[in-house]
Amino acid sequence: MICYGRTRKNQVIMNAGHIYFEIQADDTQRAINFYSQVFTWKFYEVKGLPISYWSIETGGSRGGLLKRPAQMPPPQSGTNAFVCSLEVDNFDATSKVILQLGGLVALPKFPVPGKCWQGYFVDTEGNTFGIFEVDENAGK
């Protein structure tokens, strides 16, 4: 992973809340197709690395995509990853696109009272991710 932090006496200080995320995939082209259609992200292959790697332009946080370097855990064994949730304007419309493109519901839409609507999905590569729609009236 490419790091974007500063250090101070054995501490890593996060820069203004920015994150860098990575998606691992068995079929990188299938993952690129999925995420570019769901979130309109742009993918750019990075040349000169010892692995195939794509940078991801999201319009916000920075990310990358790579071929899964190790076997993923068997189905129904829980998440073995750092799960990211992405803010969307319309939960239901985004959920519909995810399902149309082969994603699965991991945990259906639920209210986080007074905050948002949240749900979790599994992408075409078996990775869990969440989406949320900010709504102060959720669960009220």
Side-chain angles (χ1 to χ4, degrees):
M1 179 174 104
I2 302 168
C3 298
Y4 292 99
R6 302 184 314 263
T7 59
R8 177 179 57 198
K9 292 190 181 184
N10 299 325
Q11 287 183 315
V12 174
I13 302 159
M14 194 163 176
N15 289 336
H18 298 288
I19 65 164
Y20 187 90
F21 66 93
E22 288 182 319
I23 300 169
Q24 296 182 6
D26 293 319
D27 182 332
T28 53
Q29 191 56 55
R30 182 175 60 201
I32 289 168
N33 290 339
F34 179 83
Y35 283 101
S36 64
Q37 290 183 60
V38 172
F39 297 114
T40 66
W41 292 348
K42 305 235 181 310
F43 292 78
Y44 302 96
E45 189 167 8
V46 179
K47 301 289 186 185
L49 299 177
I51 59 169
S52 294
Y53 195 91
W54 290 261
S55 64
I56 305 172
E57 182 181 298
T58 69
S61 297
R62 296 171 282 210
L65 179 124
L66 66 149
K67 183 142 181 84
R68 192 181 313 282
Q71 186 175 10
M72 70 180 204
Q76 305 301 316
S77 63
T79 302
N80 185 21
F82 179 86
V83 176
C84 294
S85 289
L86 305 148
E87 183 176 349
V88 298
D89 291 330
N90 185 313
F91 185 101
D92 295 329
T94 304
S95 175
K96 184 177 178 181
V97 172
I98 291 167
L99 297 175
Q100 288 172 342
L101 293 171
L104 304 170
V105 174
L107 185 60
K109 179 181 176 180
F110 62 92
V112 177
K115 299 285 183 192
C116 67
W117 293 98
Q118 174 77 43
Y120 293 90
F121 298 85
V122 178
D123 72 9
T124 54
E125 303 308 307
N127 299 309
T128 302
F129 68 99
I131 63 171
F132 67 96
E133 176 185 341
V134 175
D135 181 356
E136 294 176 0
N137 296 313
K140 291 185 178 181

